[in-house]
Amino acid sequence: MTGLFLTKSGRTLTMWLYLVALVGLFYLVRWYRERQVVSHLQEKYVFITGCDSGFGNLLARQLDARGLRVLAACLTEKGAEQLRNRTSDRLKTVILDVTKTENIAVATQWVKEHVGDKGLWGLVNNAGCVHPLGYTEWQRPEDSMTVFKVNLIGLMEVTMSMLPMVRRARGRIVNVSSILGRIAFSGGAYSSSKYGVEAFSDVLRRELQHFGVKISMVEPGYFRTGMTDVQQSLERGRQVWDEAPVHIKEAYGQQFFDDYYNDMKKQLSKCSTNLYLVTDCMEHALTSVHPRTRYSVGWDAQFFFIPLSYLPTSLADYILTRSWPKPAQAV
């Protein structure tokens, strides 16, 4: 009986050793594949939206330092000038509001004049915005529409306008999503727009696979950018609450808002300041022979939110909302 037990234990141990070896081999092969770099990078053009600040600004400087030909789209002339002052003469800027069709058409023609017959190697859809902090019921319809126009509709329109040039170069499209595009628990319109980015990217990747075009999504967790600036975010959130209809304030109660406000203040103060974690993933998606389909970035994304997204919904709901305050008129 003891011998049988030892035999079974030995088989179990052997099985686990094989499993560990297979997992180790998988990651070793992936590591080797992902280290292979595209040749002649100095001849390739990359167009990036939202370069005034944040991820787009850092990525533009990062790729310029590596020798790529960066075409940076900024929302304001001030942002464009500041970027030009920090980069080489190779980098060129254009003013672009992704919510305006005529603006996109002008930018597309501008890109065509620069890339010529080479085509556009990389398109990075980075431009984005977020509505003020607060529950979905507190938001104004116009704030939600702006989020969709920038984060999803604008991204789709820029992509379709630039796509012939990307296809010519058999290049890359990098769409900036969010961890809230994988598991939605706040920012109703923002999360919805990022779910849309995920769906659009998945469809486009499958449709373009035979043209040699690769699509990647970057899904950052919580990082310190202009969209997550503590003071501005809290001020906008308080304004939304102050302007909310009386019946909404009565339903939630002032104490609810105060608790929510303080919790958001704590969460925003914990945002990572290492933006390179995100831009390094963007750079890899543009320069690796074998880019990933998805890059989940940040400790919070990789070790909390992504695992949480695979749990049963009821369990995920409990974990996410167990510490949330209760509204005044909660049942």
Side-chain angles (χ1 to χ4, degrees):
M1 196 69 181
T2 302
L4 180 61
F5 176 76
L6 291 174
T7 301
K8 289 183 177 180
S9 298
R11 289 175 179 174
T12 302
L13 178 60
T14 301
M15 181 188 69
W16 279 108
L17 288 174
Y18 275 125
L19 181 61
V20 170
L22 285 173
V23 171
L25 180 62
F26 168 79
Y27 280 103
L28 181 62
V29 171
R30 190 177 76 165
W31 173 81
Y32 173 74
R33 281 169 53 86
E34 291 184 348
R35 282 177 60 86
Q36 299 177 45
V37 178
V38 173
S39 60
H40 307 295
L41 286 176
Q42 289 74 21
E43 301 174 7
K44 299 187 183 301
Y45 287 88
V46 177
F47 180 74
I48 310 168
T49 66
C51 292
D52 296 76
S53 61
F55 300 134
N57 185 278
L58 179 57
L59 178 64
R61 291 186 278 120
Q62 197 167 319
L63 295 181
D64 177 65
R66 191 162 178 179
L68 280 80
R69 299 181 178 275
V70 179
L71 305 175
C74 298
L75 182 62
T76 66
E77 180 55 43
K78 179 181 178 181
E81 183 179 0
Q82 290 176 343
L83 179 58
R84 288 194 299 268
N85 290 338
R86 302 183 65 182
T87 52
S88 73
D89 293 337
R90 285 189 307 274
L91 184 141
K92 308 298 180 184
T93 61
V94 66
I95 305 302
L96 173 63
D97 181 343
V98 299
T99 66
K100 297 180 179 178
T101 300
E102 64 277 9
N103 214 192
I104 294 173
V106 171
T108 301
Q109 182 58 38
W110 178 82
V111 172
K112 285 180 181 178
E113 293 170 0
H114 279 82
V115 304
D117 294 334
K118 290 180 177 293
L120 182 61
W121 171 255
L123 167 62
V124 182
N125 285 304
N126 168 75
C129 70
V130 64
H131 50 56
L133 287 177
Y135 273 37
T136 304
E137 193 176 10
W138 308 351
Q139 305 293 332
R140 299 180 304 175
E142 54 266 33
D143 290 331
S144 296
M145 288 305 300
T146 298
V147 170
F148 278 106
K149 287 178 180 179
V150 175
N151 294 357
L152 181 57
I153 306 303
L155 178 148
M156 294 174 66
E157 193 168 354
V158 169
T159 300
M160 301 315 294
S161 186
M162 302 281 178
L163 187 53
M165 290 184 285
V166 178
R167 193 170 61 245
R168 174 186 287 273
R170 295 183 179 180
R172 311 289 174 79
I173 298 174
V174 181
N175 291 330
V176 180
S177 179
S178 167
I179 198 60
L180 291 176
R182 295 289 295 276
I183 180 167
F185 57 89
S186 66
Y190 181 81
S191 294
S192 299
S193 71
K194 293 304 184 180
Y195 265 74
V197 170
E198 297 271 337
F200 175 69
S201 302
D202 280 338
V203 170
L204 204 62
R205 184 183 66 255
R206 288 159 182 149
E207 292 179 346
L208 297 177
Q209 60 180 322
H210 296 299
F211 291 100
V213 176
K214 292 181 169 60
I215 316 292
S216 296
M217 283 166 277
V218 179
E219 303 165 336
Y222 283 87
F223 284 84
R224 182 71 51 80
T225 66
M227 290 198 300
T228 55
D229 179 80
V230 177
Q231 183 175 354
Q232 291 184 12
S233 297
L234 292 175
E235 287 177 355
R236 293 180 66 202
R238 184 173 290 280
Q239 182 180 357
V240 166
W241 173 256
D242 291 340
E243 295 175 356
V246 174
H247 69 89
I248 289 180
K249 290 184 177 181
E250 290 177 347
Y252 287 89
Q254 184 63 41
Q255 185 61 50
F256 177 93
F257 173 77
D258 292 341
D259 292 342
Y260 173 83
Y261 181 93
N262 292 329
D263 184 57
M264 288 300 101
K265 187 175 182 179
K266 291 178 183 178
Q267 295 301 321
L268 289 171
S269 65
K270 296 177 182 177
C271 290
S272 173
T273 57
N274 190 0
L275 304 190
Y276 280 102
L277 292 175
V278 178
T279 56
D280 283 351
C281 289
M282 295 175 175
E283 181 178 345
H284 185 271
L286 293 166
T287 61
S288 174
V289 174
H290 302 287
R292 298 182 187 182
T293 300
R294 283 178 167 83
Y295 296 82
S296 298
V297 195
W299 291 102
D300 55 347
Q302 295 180 37
F303 296 104
F304 181 69
F305 292 119
I306 291 297
L308 194 67
S309 69
Y310 289 101
L311 293 179
T313 303
S314 58
L315 180 56
D317 287 351
Y318 171 75
I319 293 173
L320 285 168
T321 64
R322 69 187 188 280
S323 62
W324 289 10
K326 288 188 177 181
Q329 296 181 5
V331 295

